[in-house]
């Protein structure tokens, strides 16, 4: 019967080494493929970073072609505490002298004091209207579109705290209530929810004690001077804000003047003895920010492509895309675009004319002096960046 024998036994051959080498030879194509796959992955990663940098540059460039970038406006106030100012994009430059003669206020009434907030004062009905009082309080004109509201104060509801809650929980009522405690006791204080002369209020009372004008029962909350029932005290009248702008008198129910000057909103903070200077101008700082953003995005792209395509003779290390024509071509194209001329503006024909200078390393440097000169001719600067040409 035949017997099996090992290749290495008695032959003097290193069978294990032979097998290992054979396996290594078999794996070499796989390893080569894995190496090539790693290189391809690295190149794809590099191109992905370049694509991201290009997207950032495209976004920055589009910002410079956006009309709103060049219509940005800003405003300053010589006393922001008295007159605050905000402007919308496209607002025309201008100067305004603003004097604040009165601030808008809400009507406020306080009833006579009782022992505490849980003291019962009496039952009845409150009828509340929103509107304007005449200067001498002889007449009251309900506000257009407002609705008279009646609130019934029944048994167990006639303490100050419960009357307060019932008033505050009544929807659509232009008055809110609170309780103030002082040396005399507790008082129910009523205040208009909105400022302005037309947002004052009248309170008529039908008192279950039979007397609607005395300082007792629910009548202590009444306020109707024109009807002979001014029982509660009006500590503050509802009034409009009053100001002059370049000598023109203006008035508003609130301390915000948003419809007086196109694109300009003024916020009145205090009465002034003189005028506050408000200046509206083009917001060149935000325009400069957009240009800086473009320069930064351009330089980031240039540095990235140079880093990926470079060859360091000293270390003999090559970038992932060293010698790659596509990557080099991208860099060449963006340089050519920036170095080309345009006839969109009659003043600025090249990027260098407005201070965008290409350095020896291919990056951009912005000359503040030239750009400031460009801002002096803003319409032409806008044409250079934003005009659409072939």
């Amino acid at each position: 019967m035949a017997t099996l024998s090992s290749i290495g036994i008695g032959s003097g051959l290193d069978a294990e080494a032979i097998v290992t080498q054979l396996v290594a030879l078999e794996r070499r194509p796989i390893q080569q493929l894995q190496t090539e796959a790693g290189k391809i992955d690295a190149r794809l990663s590099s191109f992905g970073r370049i694509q991201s940098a290009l997207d950032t540059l495209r976004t920055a460039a589009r910002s410079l072609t956006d009309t709103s970038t060049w219509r940005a406006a800003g405003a300053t106030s010589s006393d922001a505490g008295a007159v605050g100012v905000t402007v919308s994009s496209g607002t025309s430059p201008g100067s305004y002298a603003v004097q604040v003669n009165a601030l808008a206020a809400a009507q406020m009434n306080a009833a006579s004091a009782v022992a505490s907030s849980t003291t019962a004062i009496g039952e009845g009905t409150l009828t509340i209207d929103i509107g304007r009082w005449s200067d001498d309080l002889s007449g009251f004109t309900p506000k257009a579109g407002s609705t008279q509201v009646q609130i019934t104060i029944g048994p167990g509801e006639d303490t100050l705290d419960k009357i307060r809650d019932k008033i505050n929980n009544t929807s659509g009522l232009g008055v809110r209530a609170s309780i103030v405690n002082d040396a005399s006791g507790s008082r129910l204080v009523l205040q208009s929810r909105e400022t302005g002369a037309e947002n004052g209020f009248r309170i008529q009372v039908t008192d279950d004690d039979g007397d609607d004008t005395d300082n007792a029962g629910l009548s202590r909350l009444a306020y109707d001077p024109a009807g002979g029932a001014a029982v509660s005290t009006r500590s503050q009248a509802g009034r409009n804000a009053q100001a002059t702008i370049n000598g023109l008198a203006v008035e508003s129910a609130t301390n915000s003047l948003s419809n007086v000057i196109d694109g300009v909103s003024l916020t009145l903070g205090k009465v002034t003895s003189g005028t506050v200077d408000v200046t509206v101008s083009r917001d060149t700082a935000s325009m400069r920010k957009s240009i800086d953003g473009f320069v930064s995005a351009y330089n980031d792209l240039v540095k990235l492509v140079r880093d990926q395509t470079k060859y360091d003779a000293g270390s003999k290390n090559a970038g992932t895309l060293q010698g790659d024509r596509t990557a080099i071509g991208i860099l060449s194209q963006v340089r050519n675009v920036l170095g080309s001329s345009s006839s969109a503006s009659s003043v600025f024909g090249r990027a260098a004319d407005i201070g965008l200078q290409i350095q020896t390393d291919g990056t951009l440097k912005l000359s503040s002096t030239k750009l400031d000169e460009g801002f002096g001719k803003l319409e032409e600067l806008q044409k250079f960046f934003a005009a659409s040409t072939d």
Side-chain angles (χ1 to χ4, degrees):
M1 181 177 178
T3 59
L4 294 174
S5 61
S6 171
I7 188 173
I9 298 176
S11 67
L13 297 175
D14 187 348
E16 184 177 352
I18 292 174
V19 172
T20 299
Q21 291 178 20
L22 287 173
V23 171
L25 287 173
E26 290 291 336
R27 289 182 56 83
R28 186 170 296 171
I30 297 175
Q31 292 171 342
Q32 290 175 342
L33 288 173
Q34 289 174 335
T35 300
E36 289 301 317
K39 290 180 180 179
I40 292 173
D41 286 343
R43 290 168 62 83
L44 287 173
S45 176
S46 293
F47 274 116
R49 293 171 61 191
I50 291 174
Q51 180 179 352
S52 177
L54 280 168
D55 287 341
T56 301
L57 179 60
R58 182 186 297 111
T59 299
R62 284 176 175 169
S63 174
L64 293 176
T65 65
D66 192 337
T67 303
S68 64
T69 298
W70 305 102
R71 289 174 60 82
T76 58
S77 169
S78 61
D79 186 351
V83 182
V85 57
T86 58
V87 294
S88 57
S89 176
T91 301
S92 300
S95 297
Y96 308 93
V98 182
Q99 180 164 337
V100 183
N101 300 317
L103 294 178
Q107 181 179 330
M108 183 180 293
N109 279 52
S112 59
V114 295
S116 72
S117 62
T118 58
T119 300
I121 64 171
E123 302 169 20
T125 302
L126 302 174
T127 301
I128 302 176
D129 293 282
I130 301 299
R132 177 192 287 266
W133 286 101
S134 61
D135 292 341
D136 61 1
L137 300 178
S138 62
F140 180 84
T141 304
K143 182 179 180 179
S146 66
T147 303
Q148 186 180 79
V149 177
Q150 288 189 335
I151 301 174
T152 299
I153 307 300
E157 300 176 330
D158 59 347
T159 59
L160 287 191
D161 54 0
K162 291 184 178 178
I163 294 173
R164 174 200 61 195
D165 294 343
K166 194 151 191 179
I167 291 174
N168 290 338
N169 291 332
T170 300
S171 62
L173 184 60
V175 173
R176 60 173 173 263
S178 60
I179 294 175
V180 174
N181 299 299
D182 57 23
S184 301
S186 298
R187 303 174 187 272
L188 188 70
V189 176
L190 300 178
Q191 182 177 349
S192 299
R193 291 185 179 273
E194 297 181 34
T195 59
E198 287 193 348
N199 293 311
F201 58 85
R202 174 178 64 184
I203 302 177
Q204 298 170 310
V205 176
T206 302
D207 197 332
D208 283 0
D209 69 5
D211 190 341
D212 301 338
T213 61
D214 65 346
N215 191 19
L218 196 63
S219 297
R220 70 179 65 242
L221 304 182
Y223 185 74
D224 184 15
V231 182
S232 64
T233 302
R234 187 178 74 168
S235 57
Q236 179 173 276
R239 65 171 179 266
N240 291 343
Q242 297 177 345
T244 60
I245 301 177
N246 289 347
L248 177 67
V250 295
E251 194 168 329
S252 171
T254 70
N255 289 316
S256 295
L257 307 179
S258 57
N259 299 315
V260 178
I261 306 170
D262 286 342
V264 179
S265 294
L266 302 176
T267 302
L268 309 183
K270 63 182 179 182
V271 174
T272 62
S273 57
T275 58
V276 175
D277 295 326
V278 172
T279 303
V280 179
S281 58
R282 291 296 187 205
D283 187 3
T284 56
S286 69
M287 299 175 193
R288 169 67 185 259
K289 186 176 180 180
S290 294
I291 297 174
D292 285 340
F294 173 80
V295 171
S296 177
Y298 181 90
N299 288 344
D300 287 346
L301 173 65
V302 170
K303 292 174 183 176
L304 176 61
V305 175
R306 284 174 61 88
D307 181 67
Q308 296 297 305
T309 58
K310 72 179 180 180
Y311 177 76
D312 190 332
S315 63
K316 299 189 181 329
N317 289 327
T320 305
L321 301 177
Q322 196 270 327
D324 188 279
R325 291 185 178 182
T326 300
I328 296 172
I330 289 173
L331 195 58
S332 177
Q333 288 182 56
V334 295
R335 285 176 177 172
N336 289 340
V337 169
L338 197 65
S340 63
S341 59
S342 169
S343 59
S345 166
S346 61
V347 177
F348 307 112
R350 303 174 68 87
D353 295 339
I354 58 106
L356 291 174
Q357 301 167 341
I358 299 179
Q359 306 300 290
T360 55
D361 64 353
T363 60
L364 278 178
K365 182 179 180 181
L366 181 59
S367 168
S368 295
T369 301
K370 278 196 172 184
L371 183 59
D372 288 342
E373 292 174 357
F375 282 136
K377 301 173 182 177
L378 193 56
E379 290 187 2
E380 292 299 322
L381 188 63
Q382 178 182 349
K383 288 178 183 178
F384 177 79
F385 282 110
S388 177
T389 69
D390 292 337

